[in-house]
Amino acid sequence: MEENTKQKAAKELAEKLLLDRTKAARKACAEQIDKAMDFGEGYKDFITAAKTERETVDWTVKAAEAAGFRAFDPNHAYSAGEKVYYNNRGKAMCLAVIGKKGASQGVRIAAAHIDSPRIDLKPIPLYEASELCLLKTHYYGGIKKYQWTAIPLSMHGKIVRKDGSEITVNVGENEGDPQFCITDILPHLGKDQSVKKLGEAFTGEDLNVLVGSLPLDAEGEQLYKLNVMKILNDQYGIVESDLISAELEFVPAFKAADIGFDRSMIGAYGHDDRVCAYPALEALFDCEVPERTAITVLADKEEIGSVGNTGLCSEYLNYFVCDLARAEGLEPQHVWSMSNCLSADVTAAMDPTYASAYEAGNSTFLNRGVGIAKYTGSRGKGGSNDASAEFLGWVRRILDNGDVLWQIGELGKVDQGGGGTVAYDVARLNADVIDIGVPVLSMHAPFEVISKLDLYMAYKAFKAYFEAE
Ligand code: MN
Ligand code: MN
């Protein structure tokens, strides 16, 4: 009897004092799984239709206009509830819903990136070898090269002809389209390859895309290459030199699919980071007129360091906020100093098959909700934003008040590796910033996996953030 009373007291004390990282997840699963399943359906359509940064911007412009957003005019003074978007070169965007207090007490920003690891073409890609026609490539972002061989690929992008006319290309996604692939050596002849280290067995120069095998029916040189070029000329009116002024991206040709007997997960190419861009957009589309102006930013180039004029190292977000501030007669630097940002990017979910790379007590898990990372970086938080305790304290209050299931974790165990996000690009402007996003399995692989519950919780998190007082 005495023993039972003690046990009961200890249990009560534990409930009061200790963090239970799984109980909330079980509760949320039961209550909100149906909503999460529905939300996942819209996301699957999005992630299948928008596989590149350009396609994501095209999708977003259409969706935003349907939701009442109009192209931003920096010379116009907007009032509360008005919705605007800025399209930066078809590859990056800022979208805003003007708040009741405008930007006078700072703005709220959700920033996600819409580029993903992929296979780009070299400037002079087309060649023939051993009676096959192939394309030379230069991979983009951090990939494990072997994962990109022997899978179906599609080609997306833009070609600009010498006369300035533009062609948008998308081959391999629609029923009846041809697809492409990068070949790998058969195991029977893989003796030399199999003794190499994984990081050395596949080189960048091995990632050649197979695009043809028939010669042109004629006399002459390079008939395999000529045959493919003739098809491209017939179809798009281009000549070989037009490939110089082109951005053609090869990505996995898979469609998004439910994963698991319970259909609780989604497998797709490019969850990183469109799985954060989508809920950040939907939350902005659905938000009531907010107190402070709410902004969703879609950034390009994060996978190669956020450089370039469409990456968040560029000033395009800063200029957008400056324009909003000046239209209200405010000093932009004062607006920035009162602003904050959720850097919406994916994190690594605990994978039991590779558990030794993680520290389980400080990792994010599938279905425990949207994942906060106080800091990212590597080797002693190097290159990390490292959010303040004050800001993290405010964020957890917002999430709890919004009934959002959330968790916190690090990307792997200490000194195992690391990674960066756009957090410090925004923090540079003196805003408070924290990383928050959807946990992913097989990150940067051609087919990544996320949980529908975590995706839905990311939407709820962004919505609670935009609408909070
Ligand atoms: Mn990312
Ligand atoms: Mn990434």
Side-chain angles (χ1 to χ4, degrees):
M1 206 59 189
E2 170 79 350
E3 204 52 34
N4 276 349
T5 312
K6 274 186 183 171
Q7 272 175 7
K8 205 176 153 216
K11 199 178 162 212
E12 277 169 14
L13 201 59
E15 268 178 23
K16 196 170 147 199
L17 299 183
L18 300 182
L19 180 65
D20 183 340
R21 301 180 74 215
T22 59
K23 195 171 143 195
R26 290 194 301 273
K27 184 164 164 263
C29 271
E31 285 177 4
Q32 303 198 297
I33 204 73
D34 289 346
K35 284 182 186 163
M37 289 280 184
D38 282 349
F39 194 80
E41 291 304 303
Y43 174 66
K44 280 189 289 179
D45 291 342
F46 162 80
I47 195 77
T48 299
K51 288 194 171 180
T52 67
E53 66 287 355
R54 287 180 191 274
E55 289 171 357
T56 306
V57 166
D58 291 346
W59 184 95
T60 302
V61 168
K62 275 197 202 107
E65 288 188 343
F69 286 70
R70 296 291 169 259
F72 179 58
D73 174 3
N75 298 311
H76 185 80
Y78 291 96
S79 44
E82 287 197 88
K83 301 168 178 183
V84 294
Y85 69 85
Y86 166 67
N87 179 345
N88 185 9
R89 297 169 167 84
K91 296 180 177 191
M93 286 184 84
C94 300
L95 303 97
V97 177
I98 307 300
K100 290 174 197 154
K101 294 172 182 154
S104 64
Q105 291 181 20
V107 295
R108 300 249 166 99
I109 302 167
H113 69 90
I114 53 174
D115 61 317
S116 299
R118 60 178 193 248
I119 308 289
D120 285 350
L121 289 189
K122 289 193 183 194
I124 302 173
L126 197 63
Y127 74 104
E128 65 176 57
S130 306
E131 299 173 16
L132 296 172
C133 192
L134 303 108
L135 292 167
K136 292 301 293 180
T137 69
H138 196 139
Y139 66 97
Y140 173 99
I143 63 167
K144 289 161 89 175
K145 298 183 187 81
Y146 73 90
Q147 294 180 332
W148 294 73
T149 67
I151 59 168
L153 299 173
S154 55
M155 184 175 82
H156 302 240
K158 184 168 257 192
I159 304 167
V160 180
R161 294 193 201 91
K162 197 177 176 182
D163 66 4
S165 55
E166 299 179 358
I167 307 148
T168 297
V169 176
N170 180 320
V171 185
E173 295 291 339
N174 295 319
E175 196 65 38
D177 276 4
Q179 296 180 336
F180 313 93
C181 68
I182 294 165
T183 56
D184 191 6
I185 186 83
L186 60 165
H188 319 62
L189 299 179
K191 186 163 77 73
D192 295 346
Q193 185 192 58
S194 68
V195 296
K196 290 180 188 166
K197 283 188 186 165
L198 189 61
E200 295 162 4
F202 297 81
T203 71
E205 294 298 345
D206 293 338
L207 300 180
N208 304 312
V209 179
L210 184 61
V211 295
S213 70
L214 288 176
L216 193 72
D217 185 14
E219 292 297 317
E221 302 281 304
Q222 300 202 83
L223 295 175
Y224 293 85
K225 177 175 165 178
L226 199 54
N227 193 44
V228 165
M229 204 57 240
K230 183 173 180 303
I231 292 166
L232 292 176
N233 182 266
D234 290 345
Q235 183 128 23
Y236 302 114
I238 59 166
V239 296
E240 188 182 8
S241 63
D242 291 327
L243 294 176
I244 292 170
S245 47
E247 286 178 323
L248 295 172
E249 307 173 359
F250 283 82
V251 302
F254 325 130
K255 292 188 191 322
D258 285 345
I259 297 291
F261 292 116
D262 56 10
R263 297 181 176 267
S264 60
M265 299 165 281
I266 298 173
Y269 162 69
H271 283 318
D272 178 9
D273 183 34
R274 288 186 281 275
V275 76
C276 294
Y278 181 78
L281 284 169
E282 292 295 318
L284 190 73
F285 295 164
D286 291 349
C287 94
E288 303 292 325
V289 181
E291 287 295 308
R292 292 162 182 77
T293 295
I295 300 173
T296 290
V297 185
L298 305 181
D300 181 28
K301 300 275 192 282
E302 193 277 342
E303 296 295 356
I304 56 168
S306 293
V307 290
N309 57 9
T310 51
L312 267 185
C313 286
S314 149
E315 298 288 332
Y316 77 93
L317 170 62
N318 185 22
Y319 292 164
F320 184 71
V321 172
C322 286
D323 284 337
L324 290 174
R326 290 201 187 99
E328 294 177 36
L330 304 166
E331 289 287 342
Q333 71 274 22
H334 298 156
V335 169
W336 269 120
S337 300
M338 293 182 285
S339 295
N340 52 50
C341 171
L342 300 184
S343 165
D345 206 346
V346 297
T347 186
M350 166 56 84
D351 185 335
T353 306
Y354 301 100
S356 65
Y358 299 78
E359 189 259 295
N362 284 280
S363 291
T364 56
F365 287 69
L366 243 57
N367 289 324
R368 283 191 191 173
V370 66
I372 295 175
K374 185 177 181 297
Y375 47 82
T376 57
S378 56
R379 295 174 304 282
K381 301 188 180 181
S384 167
N385 164 65
D386 205 355
S388 71
E390 291 88 343
F391 186 52
L392 184 41
W394 181 79
V395 168
R396 52 183 280 226
R397 278 198 299 284
I398 296 292
L399 298 185
D400 285 341
N401 291 342
D403 197 24
V404 178
L405 178 65
W406 61 274
Q407 55 182 325
I408 189 158
E410 293 192 34
L411 189 104
K413 67 183 183 186
V414 177
D415 287 341
Q416 180 72 16
T421 64
V422 299
Y424 45 76
D425 299 312
V426 184
R428 180 182 62 82
L429 295 156
N430 200 31
D432 277 305
V433 186
I434 194 163
D435 283 298
I436 181 166
V438 177
V440 176
L441 290 170
S442 305
M443 195 195 295
H444 281 211
F447 199 69
E448 303 172 314
V449 176
I450 58 102
S451 117
K452 292 180 185 176
L453 185 64
D454 298 339
L455 166 63
Y456 179 60
M457 288 299 158
Y459 163 78
K460 284 191 53 146
F462 299 132
K463 194 152 183 292
Y465 167 68
F466 287 147
E467 289 178 351
E469 288 285 307

